[in-house]
Amino acid sequence: YAIDTLGSSPDGAPRLLWVQDLSNPNVAAANLPGLRQAPIPPAILPPQLQIQLANFQNQPNLLGPADNNYVCLRRFQSVMAVDPRNGETLWVRQDMPAVCDVFGDDRHLFVLTTDEEDARLLRVGDGELLGTRKLPRHVIQRRMPNGQMQTMYSTLQDTCLAAFGRKLLLWWPEGNQRELTLIDPLEGRDEWPRRKFAANAQTSVADDETVGVMEPDGRFVLISLPDGRTLADVKLDSEPDLLNITLFKSGEQFFLLTNYQSGNIPPIQPMPNQRHHSINPINQGRLYAFDSQGKLLWPGPVKVEKQLLLSDQPAALPVVIFASQHYERKPNGQGQWKPRVLCFDKRSGRRVYKGEFDNHMGIFNVACDIEKKTVALTMQKETVTLTYTDNPIPPPSAADADPTESPPGSKIAHALWNSIRKTIVPINPFGDED
């Protein structure tokens, strides 16, 4: 769908410019809004085409590169370019595999398949085949039903962390290590020297601006993209059972969330309206904060247990929010879902709110009011409001101490917190001691 966000239809809704049906191999470009075509029942296709159609429809990325001049689409065994303004077809190549990856820039397109080692190179202007280019590919040997071995090659999803036009950020196994590199397949070169890491290191990309790599021994490297500058190379807490990491940016800060194995995680589900594809249950993990230059901001990490990072929280919020629903079984064998919310101050890592609720959530909304200096967590029956004040933070009492969720170094941390003039103080109707 192409939508004009600056124009509107007579009823005030955004104006639909054009539609393309990508799931039906026999349907040409559908440029009339509201036009629908009945799909072909797969059962009437030959068996081989049924397999190809199923593989095609299960692919996550049917949309290729796009800019002001063209939008690249894939429809079954065709790669095509259309005009972004009206959806009119600019060119079509019908000799493409049904399963492929397409990437490129304003001049060149690359088509990468699992049965060909090299990538096909197309000209954006007219779809002309210009030749092939070599890319690092991982070879996969698969035994066919007839007993023969078939050689296949990795997809972009297996090795590519991010794409910058035609340039690819690759995370690549090399012997007993992993390599991180940015390649230009058109020129056949690396854009910056390859970096080597432990084979079990974990990576995460934040907004295509930075990539983080963490090794289980605690080494963490933060790299600027796409120029490859090292922003940070620091030693954090070691995590031998490191499962994955999440790197995200908020304002001028970067946050690193680790996730390591320690026991079984109880049944957990996201809050309403959360994107399921971005959900990463944190059994036990640590949260770190860095400034734009890669310097650690907090006295130490904060621990997070059995939680989910709220995926749709606004980037400009002054707090990092974790929220999830936990299933608790009662002695009588019955159980219930209990929502839990956890908030940390982005500047200091101080925990400013922790709450548990008795009812399953059907509504959970986060809103920030800059004029009132509040952050509101809205649910069906109640609202928790975090309010900014100019009051100094009182020293925590022994009852408030929580070594599993507060930064280490009490004297340093208390001095830092007490020096902060603008603080977040929760107005909590549930009497939480924080």
Side-chain angles (χ1 to χ4, degrees), residues 151-433:
T151 299
M152 304 195 59
Y153 300 93
S154 59
T155 65
L156 281 185
Q157 186 177 3
D158 296 327
T159 57
C160 182
L161 300 179
F164 304 90
R166 69 171 187 258
K167 300 177 182 179
L168 303 178
L169 180 67
L170 299 183
W171 179 240
W172 186 255
E174 188 65 34
N176 60 351
Q177 291 183 308
R178 283 268 185 172
E179 287 190 354
L180 183 71
T181 182
L182 184 71
I183 68 166
D184 182 345
L186 183 66
E187 303 294 337
R189 65 167 186 259
D190 293 343
E191 291 295 286
W192 29 266
R194 300 190 177 194
R195 292 171 168 87
K196 295 183 180 293
F197 298 92
N200 52 356
Q202 301 295 321
T203 65
S204 180
V205 177
D207 297 334
D208 286 346
E209 294 184 19
T210 53
V211 57
V213 183
M214 185 169 181
E215 298 177 323
D217 65 359
R219 183 195 177 198
F220 175 69
V221 181
L222 185 64
I223 301 170
S224 173
L225 297 175
D227 57 28
R229 290 183 297 113
T230 299
L231 299 178
D233 192 340
V234 297
K235 183 69 168 63
L236 306 177
D237 292 350
S238 62
E239 296 181 356
D241 298 319
L242 184 66
L243 293 178
N244 52 64
I245 63 174
T246 301
L247 182 70
F248 59 100
K249 186 179 181 183
S250 178
E252 296 301 317
Q253 291 179 256
F254 293 98
F255 294 89
L256 170 67
L257 177 62
T258 67
N259 186 17
Y260 55 91
Q261 181 69 37
S262 180
N264 296 323
I265 190 168
I268 188 173
Q269 68 179 21
M271 290 295 205
N273 305 322
Q274 291 300 292
R275 295 173 295 173
H276 286 260
H277 70 272
S278 62
I279 290 169
N280 179 27
I282 304 299
N283 194 1
Q284 292 193 27
R286 295 181 177 91
L287 181 66
Y288 300 83
F290 301 82
D291 65 14
S292 59
Q293 304 303 314
K295 180 181 177 181
L296 281 166
L297 293 176
W298 300 344
V302 295
K303 285 189 176 181
V304 180
E305 295 183 352
K306 299 176 178 58
Q307 263 296 358
L308 293 172
L309 179 67
L310 197 67
S311 61
D312 292 330
Q313 55 188 299
L317 285 180
V319 291
V320 179
I321 303 176
F322 292 84
S324 58
Q325 304 189 78
H326 295 247
Y327 188 78
E328 293 188 359
R329 189 172 297 279
K330 298 180 179 180
N332 60 6
Q334 298 180 345
Q336 65 178 136
W337 290 96
K338 285 192 172 184
R340 296 176 183 174
V341 180
L342 184 62
C343 301
F344 295 103
D345 187 339
K346 287 182 177 178
R347 299 160 304 178
S348 64
R350 175 178 178 266
R351 191 185 71 188
V352 295
Y353 179 75
K354 180 181 180 181
E356 181 174 308
F357 307 88
D358 291 331
N359 300 317
H360 187 278
M361 290 289 180
I363 298 174
F364 186 77
N365 183 60
V366 179
C368 182
D369 190 320
I370 297 177
E371 293 183 357
K372 295 182 179 179
K373 300 180 180 179
T374 61
V375 176
L377 312 177
T378 303
M379 295 153 274
Q380 289 108 313
K381 298 182 179 180
E382 45 218 341
T383 297
V384 175
T385 303
L386 310 180
T387 303
Y388 282 100
T389 77
D390 288 322
N391 301 325
I393 302 175
S397 64
D400 293 331
D402 189 343
T404 65
E405 292 176 339
S406 299
S410 59
K411 291 184 179 180
I412 298 176
H414 293 168
L416 174 63
W417 295 339
N418 288 329
S419 69
I420 297 175
R421 302 187 66 181
K422 283 197 172 183
T423 63
I424 300 176
V425 179
I427 299 175
N428 184 2
F430 310 105
D432 188 276
E433 292 179 344

Side-chain angles (χ1 to χ4, degrees), residues 54-74:
N55 291 337
F56 172 79
Q57 292 178 332
N58 288 333
Q59 292 183 91
N61 299 316
L62 301 181
L63 175 67
D67 66 11
N68 293 334
N69 298 314
Y70 79 103
V71 178
C72 179
L73 309 171
R74 294 196 297 112

Side-chain angles (χ1 to χ4, degrees), residues 90-132:
L90 301 176
W91 53 263
V92 179
R93 289 198 66 98
Q94 298 179 333
D95 55 349
M96 296 289 110
V99 181
C100 61
D101 293 307
V102 182
F103 64 96
D105 55 18
D106 59 344
R107 298 182 59 190
H108 299 94
L109 287 176
F110 294 82
V111 180
L112 200 64
T113 70
T114 58
D115 57 355
E116 297 176 349
E117 182 177 6
D118 297 341
R120 305 184 194 185
L121 177 63
L122 307 180
R123 186 164 53 209
V124 163
D126 54 11
E128 181 72 18
L129 180 64
L130 301 179
T132 61

Side-chain angles (χ1 to χ4, degrees), residues 21-26 39-59 62 74-77 97-99:
D21 184 351
L22 302 181
S23 63
N24 194 330
N26 283 3
I40 297 177
I44 70 173
L45 296 175
Q48 187 61 31
L49 282 182
Q50 291 184 34
I51 296 175
Q52 293 182 14
L53 180 60
N55 291 337
F56 172 79
Q57 292 178 332
N58 288 333
Q59 292 183 91
L62 301 181
R74 294 196 297 112
R75 180 186 289 119
F76 205 51
Q77 289 184 305
V99 181

